[in-house]
């Protein structure tokens, strides 16, 4: 319901795009093929605005656009309004059981099914989602716990928008506002803010 926490996810296995709510498959659309490459940085809470690009109109960070415009546009559109807590990115689609394990927060200590405290264990998260197998990795895991620090995650002392997966995909926050979340704190989106992944190591290109 309104103001309730809801786990949402989208997966793609090269054939179907699947939408999940609270660990349950809700919609499946057939769209076979490869994911098109994008020159836009990965955003959470907003989409890239390519309207100022006078080249392809679809990829404002494409080489032709950068050459023509000197610098990529930084605007965004379709901005989310609400609170987001604990965002994850995997290199491959999760199974129904793996998706359910995230909804049940089986990688955290505390009360089931949705603990509001306890520590996150990245190694356990990887095992429960098959991200220790060949061909599947936990690409990014962002706690969004504000500036108060976060749990010690398998030796990684995470802060607000640092990536706790070990991939080094940290985020830059625009108009950051942190509120009480499902686990610790959450990032509040009010329509003029977003999180942008600072990729400098080519991890997203590989996945």
């Amino acid at each position: 319901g309104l103001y309730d926490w809801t786990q949402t996810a989208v997966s793609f296995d090269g054939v179907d795009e699947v939408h999940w709510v609270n660990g349950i498959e809700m919609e499946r659309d057939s769209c076979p093929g490869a994911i098109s490459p994008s020159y836009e940085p990965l955003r959470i809470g907003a989409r890239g605005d390519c309207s100022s690009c006078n080249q392809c109109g679809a990829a404002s960070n494409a080489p032709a656009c950068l050459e023509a415009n000197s610098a990529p546009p930084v605007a965004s559109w379709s901005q989310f309004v609400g609170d987001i807590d604990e965002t994850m990115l995997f290199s491959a689609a999760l199974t129904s059981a793996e998706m359910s394990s995230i909804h049940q927060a089986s990688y955290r200590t505390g009360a089931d099914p949705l603990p509001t405290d306890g520590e996150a264990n990245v190694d356990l998260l990887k095992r429960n989602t098959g991200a220790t197998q060949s061909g599947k990795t936990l690409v990014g895991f962002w706690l969004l716990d504000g500036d108060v620090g976060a749990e010690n995650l398998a030796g990684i002392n995470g802060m607000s928008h640092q990536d706790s997966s070990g991939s080094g995909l940290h985020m830059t926050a625009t108009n950051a506002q942190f509120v009480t979340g499902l686990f610790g704190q959450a990032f509040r989106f009010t329509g003029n803010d977003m999180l942008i992944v600072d990729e400098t190591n080519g991890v997203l290109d590989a996945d």
Side-chain angles (χ1 to χ4, degrees):
L2 190 62
Y3 303 119
D4 289 338
W5 282 103
T6 303
Q7 182 219 10
T8 61
V10 177
S11 63
F12 179 66
D13 60 6
V15 177
D16 293 328
E17 177 184 312
V18 183
H19 295 244
W20 308 78
V21 176
N22 289 338
I24 300 173
E25 179 180 329
M26 302 299 292
E27 181 182 17
R28 178 180 293 264
D29 297 315
S30 177
C31 48
I35 297 177
S36 299
S38 173
Y39 292 95
E40 286 291 324
L42 175 62
R43 289 171 168 85
I44 294 176
R47 296 182 181 180
D49 182 4
C50 301
S51 59
S52 62
C53 177
N54 58 17
Q55 295 294 315
C56 61
S60 59
N61 280 340
C65 294
L66 293 176
E67 181 179 354
N69 299 310
S70 298
V74 294
S76 295
W77 66 284
S78 189
Q79 290 177 286
F80 177 75
V81 176
D83 300 340
I84 294 181
D85 193 1
E86 295 206 348
T87 302
M88 304 174 190
L89 177 65
F90 292 86
S91 65
L94 302 187
T95 66
S96 178
E98 292 165 351
M99 198 69 73
S100 179
S101 75
I102 294 179
H103 175 245
Q104 298 299 322
S106 59
Y107 59 93
R108 279 184 169 271
T109 60
D112 290 330
L114 290 176
T116 56
D117 55 11
E119 294 187 355
N121 185 315
V122 173
D123 288 336
L124 184 57
L125 172 63
K126 291 178 179 179
R127 289 198 300 271
N128 290 347
T129 56
T132 58
Q133 303 172 6
S134 176
K136 183 189 291 185
T137 59
L138 175 63
V139 179
F141 179 27
W142 301 277
L143 293 171
L144 305 182
D145 268 341
D147 297 325
V148 298
E151 297 87 359
N152 190 299
L153 306 175
I156 303 172
N157 187 18
M159 293 290 286
S160 60
H161 43 272
Q162 286 190 340
D163 173 20
S164 296
S165 73
S167 298
L169 294 176
H170 306 310
M171 291 183 175
T172 297
T174 300
N175 298 327
Q177 179 183 1
F178 292 93
V179 297
T180 299
L182 184 60
F183 310 111
Q185 290 186 305
F187 191 98
R188 173 156 292 176
F189 295 85
T190 58
N192 66 343
D193 34 34
M194 60 181 164
L195 295 164
I196 297 180
V197 174
D198 303 320
E199 183 195 16
T200 59
N201 53 15
V203 171
L204 293 180
D205 294 336
D207 292 281

